[in-house]
Amino acid sequence: MANKAQEVGGIQFPFPYVPYSIQKDFMTELYQVLEAGKIGIFESPTGTGKSLSLICGALSWLRDFEQKKHQEEALVLETGTVSLNEEKAQPLPHSSSCQDTTDTLRPAGEPDWVTQFVQKKEERDLMDRLKEERVRKEKREDRLQLLRSNVQLKYAAKRARKEEEELESLLRLSREMLAPGAGNEQLESGEEDLVLAEYESDGDTRAACGVDEDEDDLEEEHVTKIYYCSRTHSQLAQFVHEVQKSPFGKDTRLVSLGSRQNLCVNEDVKRLGSVQLINDRCMEMQRSKHEKKSRAEEEKPKRRRQEGRAACPFYNYEQMQLLRDEVLVEVKDIEQLVALGKGARACPYYGSRFAIPAAQLVVLPYQMLLHAATRQAAGIRLQGQVVIIDEAHNLIDTITSIHSAEVNGAQLCQAHCQLLQYMERYGKRLKAKNLVYIKQILYLLEKFVTVLGGNIKQNPNTQSLSQTGTELKTINDFLFHSQIDNINLFKVQRYCEKSMVSRKLFGFTERYGTVLSLTREPSKLTGFQHFLQSLQPGVTAAPPAPVEEGEHRVLQPSSPLMHIEGFLAALTTANQDGRILVSRQGSLSQSSLKFLLLNPAVHFAQVVKECRAVVIAGGTMQPVSDFREQLLACAGVGAERVVEFSCGHVIPPDNILPLVVCSGPSNQQLEFTYQKRELPQMMDETGRILCNLCNVVPGGVVCFFPSYEYLRKVQARWEQSGLLARLAIKKKIFQEPKRANQVEQVLMGYSKCIKCCGQVMGTLTGALLLSVVGGKMSEGINFSDDLGRCVVMVGMPYPNIKSLELQEKMAYLDQTLPRAPGQAPPGKALVENLCMKAVNQSIGRAIRHQKDFASIVLLDQRYARPHTLTKLPAWIRDHVEVKATFGPAFAALRKFHREKSGPS
């Protein structure tokens, strides 16, 4: 594609083709938000080239920013002096540390010579920093240029790698031959790894993990960069491909980050399956490597067997340096990065992390950015950087789910039993501090089970609870009621992290089997394990790749203690920001404790505080009041710092027909409230409306229902009344499956049917897809062209108002947020916004490119309310027609589709 550089308002925007006018507006507004250091909420409908606008707008700003910075630094180095007053007015953008001043700390009335001395020292320090940075930058550019131009370098590195592997193999063989017999050790072979290492005092600094002390290259200054986040790895890969095709594809230093589960190339570790197990095994292997290095002199013959403890063969610093440079030389997605790591026998997870400081664009799942501990572990520094969060329509829900945690009675009992057996086995070998913390954890587990109404010593599957029901508690009330308010949970949490007790426990149960000898019913253990296997909450990680059942014996959920650690961490949240949901069901194994985060802003506040600018973008961001109030205002962001931008669609106005239909063919008023929607006449009227639509709409019709249960009842009613048979005359009927692995099969059948009907002119004119709001088809599926000529929304999909969680969230917002005059209470507004967000996501499945066309039919008179209409995306809202009766609505639909498709 030719580079069509566009100049808008004096700014050059390289672009692969002549952009739409809305793309020019988008890039200009984005540039200004980044330059001014604001928070931007950007809405650009699917099909309007949002990704390219983000890439070209943001990287154009970064290009100009780097040029200005380079010119300012060159001027300083050339003149050899800098005015600190000027520097404070327009600080050099290379480092936040350069902006720190000591003027405010100096006492009044200092002698002039002291002031001059301090000023001269600051100038010298700044000059030294600039010179050091320039040297580092030149070295980096030389390395990357060498890689670009000299292919032989890669082959030489591969040869050296092979020689190292052969030498290591010989050394290992000689060690095995010279190793003495097992001796009289009390522990079995390999069992040393299961014993907890001595736990240092709580105040000790954490040992460096993953890098050696002499690896000073990793101290490289973090250049100003853009962190781009999206929901899934497939969306990130698509974004990387867009960067590769853009005018910036050749010159941008881009690194893709992912979890160990996505990037690990060590098959022995990857086979563990669970994200937490892979993380712990990897960290243990790094720790093993560094312990070996530091203890090589001390422990010569004593623990020779322990030398066989695996340090990861892919964790080779020289090879990871080469991998880091190859990542920076050319834009690569996750799959290319993994392939490169396998070829180089270097770890892509650590290699990509090493590339972060020098990268200009870092691409990562937004779970990795939004979770502080994960962010820190990945080496992500947000100070003074730019963050772009794409596909952000469910950002609030994501933050809430990442920081929520749930444990059930079965997990609590199993963790207690495993930990008790572990302590009995190794108690004499454990130091006092380890024993103290293990006993505290056992006490916590016992008290959690007691709160649920169970007995820790009995099988949770067979324990029936005398009291059932659900109750909400504040964190402090829960701690007090559980009788654990005297335990320092911060210390327990830190102990779990540093000692890796859950990993040791998993190794112990893996070795000896999950034997619940205390339950008196060991025969039920297999079913118990299967039950636990179905309980992977997975709320703290990026969406994991699906694992085939029975693929490998160790592809099990991580040990129950790992899940419980997440719950313990959640209990350290401030009392006002969360609640505990105590759910007591029929048996203890089905009962659970769930932490519910009420204030997602508490975790987002650090991001907006540290970053230079934050951009929240999506195809459908309406209603934006949630972002403004729940996320930004609660995070302390002033209204003057927030910029909203919403652009129209690229389609001509007459390519869309949005209708609000208030009554059906038999004049039945359409209001699908909980009280009325299951009335037979309402279900029949919906069927008659669809029959009429299917007669005039060509191709595919997608109809969304509020829930699976309501869809099932409607279908049963239609089958009984004969409406289903009438519908099937014009359209073949498909239904959204509940199981995710069947979605593709249904979509292929739906697509194939529409294609065949378009080629063969018969009675059947296409297909009807019955879907569910919030289901598999309402997000991320592309119903372009004939696949979605009409989208129908049956009723308003309000969330369950009886849900305790929702009620608590509403109450929290009513107490926290101010109520604007003439506006609904914040809690009620939340319910309305949740409904309309779901509607907007569903109806946004249609119209995916400039020449596409579709009708959108909203079946409920409540959509005609002015405050509801304002929550629709502007490109739909501006063209909505409200039809009080069905006749005019049907006439408008018939006319629209006749004109667009020709006579049907």
Side-chain angles (χ1 to χ4, degrees), residues 868-898:
T868 302
L869 286 174
T870 60
K871 296 179 189 295
L872 289 169
W875 64 279
I876 295 177
R877 179 177 67 235
D878 294 345
H879 304 289
V880 166
E881 297 178 26
V882 178
K883 304 293 184 184
T885 56
F886 185 72
F890 180 71
L893 272 166
R894 183 171 53 194
K895 181 173 182 252
F896 175 81
H897 285 287
R898 267 191 185 157

Side-chain angles (χ1 to χ4, degrees), residues 6 46 106 136 145 174 227 318 389 412 493 563 826:
Q6 298 293 313
T46 305
R106 292 177 199 151
R136 277 196 297 264
Q145 190 55 43
S174 66
Y227 287 98
E318 288 181 7
I389 303 174
L412 293 168
Q493 182 194 359
H563 292 313

